[in-house]
Amino acid sequence: MNQIQKAMTAGRCRRFAYPAALLGLVDGLGRALRPQDGFYPESAFVADSYSGLLEASRGPLLGSLADVTGALTGLLPGDIGASWWLPVLLSVALIAMGRTAASKKDSSRARRRLAAFRMAAVGSVLMVAVLLSTGLLALGSGVLIPLDGLLG
């Protein structure tokens, strides 16, 4: 009975899982669009924003967080931690877990909903680590590169 009561509120994980999934999609877009030799914007507004983003990502606080989380994602086999599809895959998993946790179809699936809630919480923490591994540079690039294409 206690699991059913907990499962009734498991859908609240969408409050943090869906925003983390959206940020992961934007981060994946930034990783995919950012050229290897660097991004040189044409628009003055985007250039100023991007230079501020570069300074912030190399700053003392965000830079040290990026080093720590970059080392954690560097433990993944191959070059998975730097690939564009890792945040996208985590985003898809977070959306699926949020939908499963919020499903009201059958109350006998309380364990499944609780497991989905817990996996969404762990997935959101992993998403934060992946986002911080680049110092939020890929996330900002996911917004600024398409904006430069529109304004440029």
Side-chain angles (χ1 to χ4, degrees):
M1 187 67 172
N2 192 21
Q3 282 186 344
I4 293 174
Q5 289 176 345
K6 285 183 182 179
M8 290 175 69
T9 60
R12 292 184 184 171
C13 73
R14 292 180 295 174
R15 292 180 183 172
F16 55 84
Y18 285 0
L22 178 65
L23 291 175
L25 289 173
V26 173
D27 187 80
L29 178 68
R31 289 176 189 227
L33 292 179
R34 191 165 183 265
Q36 291 292 336
D37 56 345
F39 171 56
Y40 302 102
E42 297 174 8
S43 171
F45 171 74
V46 176
D48 292 338
S49 300
Y50 190 70
S51 64
L53 179 65
L54 283 173
E55 290 173 13
S57 68
R58 295 179 185 146
L61 177 64
L62 202 53
S64 61
L65 282 174
D67 291 340
V68 170
T69 55
L72 287 175
T73 56
L75 294 175
L76 295 172
D79 201 19
I80 293 174
S83 63
W84 65 269
W85 54 266
L86 178 64
V88 174
L89 183 65
L90 275 173
S91 296
V92 170
L94 283 172
I95 291 170
M97 291 302 109
R99 289 182 52 87
T100 302
S103 176
K104 300 280 187 192
K105 283 200 255 182
D106 193 7
S107 63
S108 67
R109 306 277 191 242
R111 288 184 182 157
R112 180 181 294 167
R113 292 174 64 194
L114 284 174
F117 174 81
R118 291 174 182 145
M119 289 185 349
V122 170
S124 296
V125 171
L126 287 174
M127 182 63 78
V128 168
V130 168
L131 293 175
L132 286 175
S133 69
T134 61
L136 301 178
L137 186 63
L139 180 66
S141 296
V143 173
L144 292 176
I145 291 175
L147 186 63
D148 186 51
L150 290 174
L151 298 178

